[in-house]
Amino acid sequence: MADKVKMVKIVVLGEGFDVPEDLTIINALEYAGFQLTHGVGCREGFCGACGTIYREKGDYKLQAGLACQTVVSDGMYLAQIPFVPAEKPVYDITKLKPDITAIKDNYPIVFRCVACNTCSKVCPQDLEVMDYVQALIRGDIERAADLSFDCIRCGLCALRCPAEIVQYNSAMLARRLCGRYLLPESKDLTSRVKEIAEEKYDKELDELVKMNLKKLKERYYSRDIKLFDH
Amino acid sequence: MYPESMQESIKKVKKTRSERLKLVKSGKEIYSMMTEKEREVVLNKFHPDYQPDARRKIRIGPNKGEELTTEVADLLETYSRIDPKDFDLTKLDYETDVLVIGAGSAGFAAALLAEENGVDVLLVTKLRIGDSNSMMAQGGIQAAVRPDDSPVLHYLDAIGGGHFENKPELVRALTAEAPDGINWLKDHGVMFDRNPDGTMITKSGGGTSRLRMHSARDYTGAAICATLRDEVLNRPDHIKILEHQPVVELIKDNTGKVSGAVLYHLENREYFTIKAKATIITTGGFGRLHIRNYETTNHYGATADGLVISYRVGAKLMYMDSVQYHPTGAIYPQQIIGFLCTEKLRALGAQPLNKKAEPFVNPLEPRDVESSAFIRECLERKKGIKTPSGHIGVWLDTPLIDQINGKGAIQASVPAMVRQFARFDVDMIAEPILVYPTLHYQNGGVEINAQCETNIPGLFVAGEASGGLHGRNRLMGNSQLDLIIFGRRAGKFAADYAKGAKIGKLTLDHIYEYEKDVKKLGIDRSKISPMVLPDYIPDAVKAKQLTTKYHGTLR
Ligand SMILES: Cc1cc2nc3c(=O)[nH]c(=O)nc-3n(C[C@H](O)[C@H](O)[C@H](O)COP(=O)(O)OP(=O)(O)OC[C@H]3O[C@@H](n4cnc5c(N)ncnc54)[C@H](O)[C@@H]3O)c2cc1C
Ligand code: SF4
Ligand code: SF4
Ligand code: FES
């Protein structure tokens, strides 16, 4: 079956464990016998549950990464996976304006950014975190929303920020403001919602619901297919 | 970088690429579509669902005598984690109007609508809130918004895709409310992809007759789920949240209504009880059961808990005999095994190839047929490519995408995926990727009606945990839509119900009843569910955990 794999030693809570060299931190912890009940979610780099801190052999630097996306190395020193209990203010999105006032009122902390760029360096999604924080400070909601789009809310930026900013939560507000207020209106969507409210399709749908199988199949197989933009 | 052992095959793929590109450019098919007969043959012989031991009759409970997926039947014919006599149901830890179990998008939509309908909500979840399959969807969400589209066409596509077995009333609600669902998400601030003039950017998806797939780059699920989570957190007065506390059993009252639940705290290991006037299950799917040993695209907590606890109170399941395998799950690099490589890749021109770089199937057969053809190529024809960890798969020639659509096309259309492969040193823009079918979606679930009610009063279900909407085959983009439409419905109807509900004396006696039947089958006491979390601890380690007791998969 499988070719023989090389083993490396990882250190967890001071104890060494031999694990195959190609495992991610999450897989390696499990291989070593730890059953994970937190600090793990999608296991595919989408949910941000697994932000973690580690140190590599012979290095003084504390590194941060996603435990489901980081491969172990020999002598890697792993900590227990932290959970970032970041603050999230409560607001009513329908009452906010998509400009700097929303940021000032809800995330005044972002104005304390000292532009050290630690957040961008630590971000496992390689986002320009500092740049989106700076955009928030300028009230440029659209730019902050755009730059932060791929944020998976792992919290590693907030964990390392000397100014104690909760970058990812403030960016979430920016994206919500942008999605609700700043993107141009889709007229098609507005008019389709209206048509449906006016029950334009109800009769035909009711017919389909009651239609016998034979007729329904006929309708299905004879429907025209248009998959190209004009 | 691929290891030496695969290099020879990769060279062949590179060598034949220009020929295959020519073929595409000339408008010819790379491989002809199968006839109905051919499809039948490959499905019967190779689709995991069609294997002789893939299904078996369930011997107890509301679906007794029906064929179910074997692993599901095994999971249901088990004992409870708890002993009812240990619980004093006159002293409860929490009380609420509506209890929502599971914090993915369906759970969030339900919690929001219940709150808006004037009741108190308790939202409980197994992991962190939002850690769910909902967060992972890349592809998109369907809704008939374009002028050349309509809810009627959407209805036809959905019901045809489900082989006409879907419950019509559910498909009607889904398709008629879809545009409003998108609008609602937009109002909450989801940044759907739009053109500069505001029109929604829409794409096709398997089985759609119009461009109907809306997206938020390739983080569609995350954009929706994170937005709804943020909104749920904005309503702390009426929505309370408990994390890391899976529900392991439902509580009933003396009139047979579902009236609450038992929680297990994963960290301090205490059990807690909740009394609720109405209960909504939004616990998602079952990928982590690793049915037939398949790898999965699903998140860590996708263990079908909702099915188990519902079944024990007498709720009927529907279509739990069919499993959706996605043809293209990554099998290399080792770190991302099971990772979903979206259908979009093949739609954009990526071709499946065997070890000798030969095409062997049309890239755009229906999911079940495509998967079966991959399995045949690897298992019967032995033309798969083997990885160092012992997995076998076929190539998906992704570099063709840029050659067909222009440089930068891959990066622009699937940035999340490019990033994922690049993390482990595979450049999918320059090199093909290695794939094999992966366990993706639970087509069936607890049977519901359009109000998300089950056959048990007080119990509502929405999202992937529910059954009936998709028949035995869900189309891409209808699941994300399901979460919104039926999540909202569940919230509303459960709130309405809760306002008039009177709860009698609480009981867990149904567990004793159920366990009597389990015992009659002679099933070993150690068989316990819900699973809650999968067990990935190697046997060698367990053998040395001399004083550790495993209760099911948990310690
Ligand atoms: C990788 C991937 C890509 C996908 N892409 C698409 C796509 O492009 N388009 C589309 O339409 N669909 C897609 N799907 C399918 C779709 O995303 C899922 O079907 C959907 O998100 C399920 O949502 P849900 O809210 O029902 O369940 P989930 O989002 O899975 O949420 C379930 C929640 O319940 C919790 N839970 C589970 N058990 C318990 C318990 N015992 N007690 C308490 N809480 C519990 C979980 O932790 C989780 O928070 C994709 C799925 C995956 C996995
Ligand atoms: S780490 Fe904090 S202070 Fe430094 S740039 Fe980022 S947000 Fe600003
Ligand atoms: S911006 Fe912060 S929270 Fe978002 S992915 Fe990067 S490090 Fe994680
Ligand atoms: S577990 Fe979700 S990002 Fe790692």
Side-chain angles (χ1 to χ4, degrees):
Chain A
M1 262 312 267
D3 302 345
K4 216 168 161 43
V5 280
K6 239 182 85 188
M7 304 294 274
V8 295
K9 198 178 273 309
I10 57 168
V11 189
V12 188
L13 299 174
E15 176 71 33
F17 296 92
D18 292 319
V19 302
E21 63 166 359
D22 58 356
L23 297 188
T24 60
I25 292 176
I26 281 186
N27 293 142
L29 287 172
E30 288 171 343
Y31 187 91
F34 294 82
Q35 186 170 51
L36 305 177
T37 50
H38 61 266
V40 53
C42 65
R43 306 172 72 107
E44 288 189 4
F46 276 88
C47 75
C50 67
T52 191
I53 290 186
Y54 59 92
R55 192 162 60 75
E56 281 176 314
K57 194 177 183 171
D59 195 354
Y60 63 88
K61 268 201 311 248
L62 287 181
Q63 309 218 42
L66 298 175
C68 74
Q69 301 292 305
T70 308
V71 180
V72 292
S73 62
D74 194 45
M76 188 185 250
Y77 206 113
L78 298 170
Q80 284 291 72
I81 299 169
F83 179 94
V84 186
E87 195 208 359
K88 196 208 100 68
V90 167
Y91 45 79
D92 180 347
I93 194 85
T94 64
K95 300 220 167 81
L96 300 182
K97 280 216 226 47
D99 59 25
I100 199 157
T101 58
I103 307 302
K104 273 192 180 142
D105 291 348
N106 294 290
Y107 289 100
I109 186 112
V110 300
F111 295 90
R112 284 175 34 186
C113 173
V114 296
C116 66
N117 209 29
T118 308
C119 48
S120 308
K121 276 192 236 149
V122 82
C123 177
Q125 294 287 87
D126 296 328
L127 303 181
E128 296 299 343
V129 188
M130 181 179 81
D131 291 1
Y132 80 59
V133 171
Q134 292 295 325
L136 288 173
I137 290 173
R138 294 193 308 273
D140 190 344
I141 305 291
E142 262 184 291
R143 178 137 177 93
D146 179 52
L147 288 176
S148 68
F149 201 92
D150 293 2
C151 169
I152 55 170
R153 299 154 301 274
C154 66
L156 289 171
C157 49
L159 214 54
R160 302 302 297 272
C161 175
E164 265 125 323
I165 294 169
V166 278
Q167 296 90 333
Y168 58 109
N169 281 348
S170 57
M172 185 74 236
L173 172 60
R175 290 198 300 282
R176 291 192 62 185
L177 290 169
C178 186
R180 182 181 169 94
Y181 297 107
L182 298 176
L183 293 183
E185 184 199 340
S186 161
K187 300 212 174 62
D188 295 344
L189 179 59
T190 312
S191 63
R192 180 55 46 81
V193 170
K194 191 159 159 270
E195 281 174 6
I196 290 173
E198 289 162 356
E199 303 179 359
K200 181 173 167 189
Y201 301 98
D202 282 14
K203 196 166 150 266
E204 226 181 320
L205 284 170
D206 287 338
E207 277 167 26
L208 286 176
V209 166
K210 288 197 209 96
M211 197 170 277
N212 70 44
L213 187 61
K214 187 162 163 281
K215 259 183 98 183
L216 190 63
K217 278 191 176 173
E218 269 168 33
R219 277 289 298 272
Y220 176 72
Y221 288 109
S222 65
R223 79 208 196 285
D224 62 328
I225 296 181
K226 280 194 227 149
L227 294 180
F228 295 97
D229 265 314
H230 15 269
Chain B
M1 263 305 286
Y2 287 98
E4 201 44 48
S5 60
M6 298 185 209
Q7 286 300 341
E8 197 190 313
S9 179
I10 293 203
K11 268 191 209 130
K12 286 184 189 147
V13 173
K14 278 195 184 135
K15 216 171 114 196
T16 61
R17 192 172 292 141
S18 57
E19 277 306 307
R20 286 179 284 114
L21 178 68
K22 253 192 238 155
L23 204 69
V24 174
K25 293 231 150 142
S26 72
K28 286 205 191 82
E29 272 185 307
I30 159 101
Y31 204 89
S32 57
M33 281 276 182
M34 289 184 212
T35 61
E36 203 174 335
K37 184 84 205 133
E38 285 169 331
R39 281 185 179 173
E40 227 178 273
V41 170
V42 73
L43 281 173
N44 275 322
K45 203 151 167 214
F46 296 99
H47 193 280
D49 272 357
Y50 294 68
Q51 303 311 303
D53 54 348
R55 296 170 178 151
R56 74 167 175 86
K57 279 208 172 76
I58 175 109
R59 297 168 291 177
I60 55 173
N63 290 66
K64 186 173 168 176
E66 216 178 278
E67 296 262 327
L68 302 187
T69 300
T70 303
E71 287 80 355
V72 172
D74 292 347
L75 189 76
L76 292 174
E77 292 177 355
T78 52
Y79 299 90
S80 175
R81 254 179 202 288
I82 59 169
D83 187 340
K85 77 170 173 2
D86 298 334
F87 291 82
D88 177 0
L89 296 177
T90 60
K91 293 196 196 87
L92 293 135
D93 298 296
Y94 302 95
E95 249 186 77
T96 185
D97 295 324
V98 171
L99 168 66
V100 180
I101 306 172
S105 292
F108 292 150
L112 292 173
L113 262 285
E115 190 261 3
E116 284 168 25
N117 281 278
V119 298
D120 283 336
V121 178
L122 183 63
L123 174 59
V124 303
T125 194
K126 184 184 319 192
L127 300 163
R128 254 187 353 169
I129 79 163
D131 295 345
S132 62
N133 279 353
S134 298
M135 214 41 116
M136 304 171 76
Q138 306 163 35
I141 175 166
Q142 290 200 39
V145 168
R146 290 166 63 94
D148 68 359
D149 198 1
S150 81
V152 173
L153 283 169
H154 190 177
Y155 183 102
L156 282 173
D157 287 347
I159 208 152
H163 310 302
F164 306 95
E165 292 179 320
N166 326 40
K167 284 179 87 165
E169 55 167 330
L170 301 184
V171 184
R172 190 195 189 289
L174 182 85
T175 54
E177 288 169 26
D180 187 60
I182 297 289
N183 206 35
W184 183 74
L185 289 173
K186 183 213 78 182
D187 282 345
H188 277 305
V190 175
M191 292 172 62
F192 285 112
D193 297 331
R194 281 176 246 184
N195 291 308
D197 68 356
T199 49
M200 309 286 289
I201 296 177
T202 43
K203 303 203 177 76
S204 64
T208 64
S209 63
R210 290 291 182 278
L211 299 173
R212 192 184 294 135
M213 202 70 69
H214 304 263
S215 51
R217 305 194 191 168
D218 63 347
Y219 285 97
T220 309
I224 294 171
C225 193
T227 300
L228 294 181
R229 171 171 73 175
D230 195 65
E231 186 54 31
V232 163
L233 293 172
N234 277 345
R235 303 184 189 182
D237 292 345
H238 297 288
I239 304 180
K240 303 269 181 254
I241 296 163
L242 300 172
E243 297 171 283
H244 301 287
Q245 301 183 50
V247 167
V248 294
E249 223 56 83
L250 294 173
I251 298 174
K252 281 181 137 179
D253 78 354
N254 56 343
T255 65
K257 298 194 291 285
V258 166
S259 310
V262 178
L263 296 179
Y264 177 58
H265 197 300
L266 285 173
E267 302 299 324
N268 85 350
R269 303 185 182 185
E270 262 186 89
Y271 285 92
F272 298 102
T273 48
I274 305 170
K275 178 176 176 177
K277 292 184 184 142
T279 299
I280 306 175
I281 288 193
T282 49
T283 48
F286 66 3
R288 293 278 158 188
L289 299 185
H290 293 290
I291 291 162
R292 302 193 74 74
N293 287 326
Y294 272 80
E295 302 291 347
T296 183
T297 60
N298 286 193
H299 83 120
Y300 187 45
T303 50
D305 302 354
L307 291 185
V308 174
I309 57 179
S310 301
Y311 201 68
R312 286 211 184 115
V313 296
K316 263 194 86 107
L317 309 182
M318 190 174 206
Y319 299 140
M320 282 312 300
D321 57 353
S322 101
V323 180
Q324 186 165 80
Y325 294 87
H326 195 290
T328 52
I331 59 160
Y332 186 89
Q334 149 88 7
Q335 299 84 3
I336 53 170
I337 284 180
F339 178 80
L340 181 74
C341 305
T342 159
E343 207 163 279
K344 212 153 124 189
L345 295 174
R346 281 171 291 134
L348 288 167
Q351 299 167 347
L353 305 169
N354 65 21
K355 188 174 169 176
K356 298 186 168 157
E358 302 157 340
F360 58 90
V361 63
N362 187 289
L364 292 173
E365 296 278 5
R367 277 188 184 172
D368 47 357
V369 176
E370 189 86 9
S371 294
S372 305
F374 285 15
I375 297 170
R376 171 169 69 192
E377 201 65 14
C378 295
L379 300 189
E380 189 187 55
R381 299 178 177 165
K382 311 261 183 248
K383 288 189 183 168
I385 300 96
K386 192 173 149 201
T387 73
S389 64
H391 286 74
I392 299 176
V394 299
W395 295 116
L396 190 61
D397 197 15
T398 43
L400 261 178
I401 296 178
D402 272 7
Q403 299 192 356
I404 294 171
N405 305 278
K407 219 172 141 85
I410 304 178
Q411 180 63 44
S413 50
V414 290
M417 199 182 309
V418 172
R419 177 187 278 134
Q420 203 73 323
F421 278 92
R423 272 184 183 139
F424 305 110
D425 297 325
V426 171
D427 177 2
M428 65 181 288
I429 299 174
E431 288 181 308
I433 57 177
L434 207 55
V435 295
Y436 194 73
T438 179
L439 174 48
H440 188 47
Y441 186 79
Q442 174 185 303
N443 288 317
V446 183
E447 183 176 356
I448 56 166
N449 63 15
Q451 282 75 48
C452 299
E453 293 165 329
T454 63
N455 58 318
I456 306 296
L459 182 64
F460 298 74
V461 183
E464 192 168 342
S466 74
L469 171 63
H470 306 293
R472 287 188 170 84
N473 182 44
R474 169 195 67 115
L475 298 185
M476 171 182 161
N478 274 347
S479 172
Q480 283 285 320
L481 180 60
D482 169 8
L483 314 179
I484 304 312
I485 303 308
F486 290 97
R488 295 196 309 180
R489 283 182 158 248
K492 180 185 179 308
F493 291 113
D496 289 351
Y497 171 90
K499 285 179 204 159
K502 291 235 165 13
I503 300 183
K505 191 169 166 285
L506 300 185
T507 165
L508 284 164
D509 284 352
H510 56 279
I511 293 173
Y512 286 139
E513 291 298 311
Y514 190 88
E515 287 187 335
K516 259 192 235 154
D517 290 342
V518 180
K519 201 164 166 209
K520 270 192 218 141
L521 299 176
I523 286 169
D524 190 86
R525 239 322 160 171
S526 67
K527 298 271 185 241
I528 279 174
S529 70
M531 185 186 276
V532 182
L533 291 173
D535 178 11
Y536 294 134
I537 310 297
D539 290 341
V541 174
K542 277 192 185 158
K544 288 169 85 179
Q545 293 174 327
L546 297 173
T547 55
T548 304
K549 222 174 141 248
Y550 280 83
H551 206 54
T553 54
L554 299 181
R555 287 180 196 165

